[in-house]
Amino acid sequence: MTSELTFVHADDSLAQEYDEMAERSFGHPVGDITHLHGHADIRVALRSGRVVAGGLGLLLPQYFGGAPVPSALLAAGSVAPEERGDRLAARMVHERLNPLRERGAVISTISTLSNGYARHLGWQAPTPVYAHAVRAEDLKRSFDTADFCIETGTTPAALDLQQDLARRWNGPVERPAWWEGWKTTKSRLTTYRFHRLGNPISGWLTLTTSRRENHGTDLTVHDFWAGDHDCAAAMLAFLGRYSSRTETIHFRRGALPPAPLLLHNLHRYRVATQAWHPWMLRILDLQGAVRLRGWPDDLDLELPIEICEEADCTTHRRYLLVIRAGHADLTPAGFEAQVTLTRGQFAAWYAGGLRTTEAARLCGVQARSDASLSGFIRATGRQEPWLPDHF
C-alpha cells in the first residue's frame, strides 16, 4: 500500500464517508450506521485521508446469570473491497474494542458470517441460532388464546416485563431507553400486549407485515416475550388467527426462546427451520467477567482450572475459581488444574452453552474427573443462552 493507516473516532463527516464506503462494501445500504450514530462509538481506518474501513461499537450490558455485564457489541464492520487481504479487518476489530474496554467492557458479542475468522480472533458461539416458519393454520388449531386480553402498543409495564424476562436467560441485552424506538422505526414494528382480565401484563410480541408478490401477506415476529406457558400459548394462537391473508408465520432468527413450545404442542409438526450464523461471545477480561456475572446464592464451588490464553494454545494460565453466596472470583494460582479449557471454551461455559459433561468433553474440555467437570458445568447450567436482540 502507498501510505500508512491511521485509526480515529469518526466525526460527522467521517461517519458519512464510512456510511458510503460500507454501502459499497456490503452491496446495499447499512441503515444502522445512520440510525445509531448518536449512540454508537464509530471507528474508522484512514489511508491518505480516505476512509477504507470502519465499524460500530455499542457499550451495553448483557445479562448473564441474571446480572448485567458490560459488553462491547460490535456491528456493521466493513473493509473497502480494494483493501481486503491485508488483515485490516483484524486490526480494525482491535481498534474498535480498545475504547470500549477502557470504558468498562469485560465481554464482547458479535454476529458474523465469518465464524471461523471470528474464532481465530477469540470469539466462540455458545448456541445455535434458528429462524422458524410455521403454518398459521397449525398455530390456530394447536393453541388457544383462553381468557387473555390483547392490546396494542408499548407501555412502561411491558418494557419492565421484558427486562425481567431477559434476566432469566444468558445473553439478552439490557435495552437502553432508545432501543424500542430504534427497532420500531427501523422495522416498522407493531406491538401487542397480553394479560388476563384484571391482571398485569404477562407477555408481549412485536411483528411486521408485508405484502406478498402475488397474494396475501407475510408476517414476521421480531420479539416474543412470554412469562409462562399459558401466555405463550395465547400469543401463538393470536399469531395463527392474525390474518386470513397470512399463510405462514415467520419467527425472525432468535425470536423464539430456546424452549420446545412448538415441538410439544403443534397439532402437526410442519415447522421449517433455518440455521443462521450464531451470535458469538468473547471474554475480554476473565477476572472482571467472572466477578460481574450473576451466580446462584446456593452454589458453593472451589475449583482449580487452567485456561489456554492464545489461539495456538502456547500460553496456559492457572486460576482458582471460587463461587460462594452469589459471588465469584477468579484468581491466579499454582494449583494443579482439575479442568483445562481454551478461552473460547470458557466463553461457551460462561454463557451456559455447555449443558452437560458429555457436551463439554466433545467440545474439547479436559478434566481430571467426572465430578470436577460436573461441578464446573453446573455452575452456569441453570440458565440457557439466548440472544433475541439484534444490533
Side-chain angles (χ1 to χ4, degrees):
M1 295 296 179
T2 57
S3 63
E4 292 297 320
L5 288 166
T6 57
F7 299 88
V8 299
H9 179 270
D11 58 17
D12 290 348
S13 176
L14 289 176
Q16 177 61 37
E17 188 177 342
Y18 165 56
D19 193 359
E20 295 168 358
M21 185 278 295
E23 181 174 350
R24 179 164 59 89
S25 176
F26 281 106
H28 58 78
V30 187
D32 285 346
I33 296 175
T34 300
H35 296 151
L36 294 177
H37 188 188
H39 308 293
D41 182 272
I42 303 179
R43 300 281 158 167
V44 296
L46 302 177
R47 193 187 298 279
S48 300
R50 181 174 62 90
V51 173
V52 295
L56 304 179
L58 295 167
L59 180 60
L60 293 173
Q62 288 181 263
Y63 289 114
F64 287 92
V69 181
S71 178
L73 312 179
L74 301 187
S78 63
V79 175
E82 65 273 17
E83 292 280 343
R84 292 173 183 164
D86 197 31
R87 293 189 56 80
L88 177 52
R91 293 182 64 185
M92 195 71 240
V93 165
H94 178 76
E95 295 293 334
R96 293 161 66 193
L97 279 178
N98 269 349
L100 300 176
R101 295 180 72 164
E102 291 172 359
R103 291 167 55 192
V106 295
I107 61 175
S108 176
T109 295
I110 59 172
S111 181
T112 175
L113 289 169
S114 305
N115 299 348
Y117 187 66
R119 286 190 65 193
H120 179 73
L121 295 178
W123 277 269
Q124 183 63 280
T127 186
V129 173
Y130 299 105
H132 304 281
V134 190
R135 295 189 183 188
E137 65 177 283
D138 288 349
L139 292 180
K140 188 188 307 182
R141 296 178 63 184
S142 303
F143 297 94
D144 186 4
T145 57
D147 57 349
F148 278 83
C149 302
I150 305 170
E151 299 173 334
T152 60
T154 303
T155 64
L159 299 180
D160 289 344
L161 174 68
Q162 185 273 329
Q163 291 294 275
D164 177 64
L165 296 177
R167 289 185 182 92
R168 305 179 190 181
W169 304 89
N170 290 328
V173 171
E174 184 180 56
R175 297 180 178 181
W178 51 262
W179 188 279
E180 299 304 322
W182 162 50
K183 285 295 185 181
T184 298
T185 301
K186 173 184 176 179
S187 300
R188 297 180 292 111
L189 301 177
T190 302
T191 301
Y192 292 92
R193 310 187 309 274
F194 297 76
H195 67 92
R196 283 193 166 94
L197 186 63
N199 291 319
I201 178 176
S202 56
W204 62 272
L205 59 81
T206 64
L207 57 82
T208 184
T209 59
S210 59
R211 294 185 62 180
R212 298 178 63 182
E213 184 174 351
N214 296 324
H215 175 72
T217 60
D218 284 326
L219 188 155
T220 303
V221 178
H222 286 240
D223 275 291
F224 191 96
W225 297 96
D228 55 46
H229 173 269
D230 289 344
C231 185
M235 292 163 65
L236 291 170
F238 166 77
L239 292 170
R241 294 170 172 80
Y242 189 84
S243 171
S244 61
R245 292 167 53 83
T246 301
E247 293 182 359
T248 304
I249 310 300
H250 300 274
F251 294 89
R252 196 173 189 266
R253 62 186 186 272
L256 279 180
L261 295 170
L262 300 176
L263 179 64
H264 286 180
N265 295 283
L266 277 187
H267 178 74
R268 292 185 178 181
Y269 197 76
R270 297 186 289 186
V271 179
T273 301
Q274 180 182 7
W276 288 79
H277 49 278
W279 60 279
M280 304 186 75
L281 179 68
R282 176 177 170 183
I283 309 297
L284 304 177
D285 177 351
L286 287 167
Q287 293 171 277
V290 167
R291 185 179 66 255
L292 294 174
R293 192 190 190 280
W295 302 96
D297 290 335
D298 61 350
L299 181 62
D300 191 339
L301 177 70
E302 184 172 314
L303 186 69
I305 66 173
E306 187 170 321
I307 299 175
C308 175
E309 296 279 354
E310 305 292 341
D312 58 2
C313 289
T314 57
T315 303
H316 295 258
R317 299 188 187 278
R318 290 180 176 180
Y319 298 91
L320 181 64
L321 174 64
V322 179
I323 308 173
R324 286 195 182 96
H327 300 280
D329 285 298
L330 187 69
T331 56
F335 306 113
E336 185 175 6
Q338 293 295 312
V339 175
T340 301
L341 66 168
T342 67
R343 198 165 180 134
Q345 291 162 353
F346 187 89
W349 167 81
Y350 185 90
L354 302 180
R355 307 297 297 168
T356 65
T357 55
E358 185 60 23
R361 290 188 187 279
L362 284 173
C363 288
V365 178
Q366 302 176 37
R368 293 179 61 84
S369 70
D370 288 341
S372 295
L373 184 56
S374 178
F376 183 65
I377 296 302
R378 284 199 307 268
T380 59
R382 298 193 189 187
Q383 291 173 297
E384 291 192 68
W386 179 37
L387 186 63
D389 308 293
H390 299 279
F391 45 86

